[in-house]
Amino acid sequence: MSPRRVRVEARAKLNLGLAVGPRRPDGFHELATVFQSVSLADTLTAERRARGFSLEVRHERAADRGALPRGARATVPAGGANLALRAARLAADRAGIRGGAHLRLVKRIPARAGMGGGSADAAAALSAVLALYGVRVPRSGRLALGAELGADVPFALFGGTALGLGRGERLEPLRLARPFRAVVAVPRWTVSTPEAFRRLDRLKYGLTRWPAKLRFAKALGRMALEPRYATRLGNAFEAVLGRRRQDFIDLCARLREAGVEAPRLTGSGSAVFGLLGPRVPARVVLDRFAGGEALFVVRSARRGLSIGTQL
Ligand code: C5P
């Protein structure tokens, strides 16, 4: 029997490292990135409807210190442009599902921060609709559907720790040496991802550093991965922050002073995360941090999605 209601925890991701290669003929760039699911999650519930898909979005404060600017909410569309709604429709269309669903989304993952919030919601909606109608699609099929929605959606479905190659959709699982915690700081400014890629093109960034970066990334699969080691891949987008570059450098310095290690941009930004040592209390770092940025304490997670059903 198919469930009446499905509830999915959709976790955010960090890119522990992210290298960008040359632009491909299809306009996308070759990537080599270490994806890591983290504990911060949106919650999506889906209920069966006779037909049609609808979405309701509620924002819930999840920061451990500070708050996001109110304007951040406006960047999550509630209508047909929302990636979750597009994912639900795509799943129903491809799986031959005639019925519809009402989706309720509780947003906690900051938007446009490089934490994969929209992709996590899309992965959750896709999985929820299939579960709601009891349709089994093999993992490879779900990943392919995810890739149609966005470069980060396959990882949101895959979850855990993984190396992302190609557009980011070719995934290889990585083995994390140990769970870890991180502090994520979300500035008030945001980054446009397509613009950041254009800037990398102008810099011809990929052409010089890419081959060595790709070799480094591919070698990570051979070992139990130390999170600190993965950050040595760097993040190409740190080089194209333009007038925000100084803000970024300053934020990294304040995070280090507060007690976190190896601060890095995640995705194309603007969030910056730093690793918490095993014996460093999160509270101490939160209290010591000097600045108005919203701070989130997260743990590495072994899965991207957790799905629960109610009959
Ligand atoms: O797939 P997603 O919607 O996350 O990508 C946003 C934009 O980033 C794309 O339209 C493209 O311009 C750029 N992009 C890219 N190469 C990638 C991923 C994204 O150029 N591998």
Side-chain angles (χ1 to χ4, degrees), residues 27-31 119 149-152 166-168 193-194 197:
F28 283 86
H29 293 73
E30 289 292 330
L31 300 183
S119 301
L149 292 159
D152 287 344
R167 277 167 56 177
T193 302
F197 275 108

Side-chain angles (χ1 to χ4, degrees), residues 43-238:
T43 306
L44 182 110
T45 51
E47 263 176 28
R48 253 183 287 165
R49 291 285 188 268
R51 63 183 64 79
F53 290 89
S54 51
L55 171 72
E56 195 182 317
V57 183
R58 182 161 67 79
H59 293 264
E60 198 171 277
R61 178 177 181 268
D64 293 288
R65 187 188 139 166
L68 296 168
R70 287 200 147 268
R73 298 179 173 186
T75 60
V76 180
N82 189 289
L83 204 54
L85 213 43
R86 279 176 44 205
R89 289 184 177 131
L90 181 72
D93 185 49
R94 297 299 170 77
I97 294 167
R98 295 255 191 80
H102 181 61
L103 310 179
R104 286 194 185 84
L105 179 62
V106 180
K107 285 272 353 151
R108 300 184 194 88
I109 306 172
R112 295 187 64 193
M115 298 184 76
S119 301
D121 301 340
L126 199 152
S127 307
V129 168
L130 296 178
L132 205 52
Y133 284 93
V135 180
R136 282 182 199 282
V137 174
R139 180 152 146 139
S140 60
R142 276 181 281 135
L143 293 178
L145 279 180
E148 290 186 37
L149 292 159
D152 287 344
V153 182
F155 174 72
L157 291 159
F158 195 84
T161 313
L163 179 64
L165 299 170
R167 277 167 56 177
E169 89 293 5
R170 258 172 47 217
L171 297 164
E172 294 173 13
L174 294 173
R175 194 161 42 88
L176 203 58
R178 55 183 175 81
F180 69 92
R181 295 169 303 151
V183 174
V184 185
V186 182
R188 289 179 164 262
W189 47 274
T190 57
V191 172
S192 150
T193 302
E195 174 57 26
F197 275 108
R198 282 195 289 274
R199 286 185 181 187
L200 283 175
D201 290 341
R202 287 200 289 274
L203 208 64
K204 301 199 177 355
Y205 186 92
L207 301 181
T208 48
R209 295 175 176 87
W210 173 246
K213 293 277 185 189
L214 186 59
R215 267 198 307 281
F216 178 86
K218 283 185 170 167
L220 295 175
R222 295 193 213 116
M223 57 184 102
L225 187 67
E226 280 295 334
R228 176 80 194 240
Y229 187 71
T231 65
R232 283 173 53 180
L233 184 57
N235 183 322
F237 291 107
E238 292 176 3

Side-chain angles (χ1 to χ4, degrees), residues 233-276:
L233 184 57
N235 183 322
F237 291 107
E238 292 176 3
V240 289
L241 289 169
R243 65 194 172 88
R244 297 300 189 183
R245 170 91 185 154
Q246 197 49 50
D247 293 331
F248 164 75
I249 291 169
D250 176 68
L251 175 54
C252 288
R254 286 182 286 119
L255 280 167
R256 268 196 216 93
E257 278 159 26
V260 300
E261 297 169 12
R264 283 262 174 278
L265 204 66
T266 175
S268 58
S270 61
V272 177
F273 69 93
L275 304 174
L276 262 176

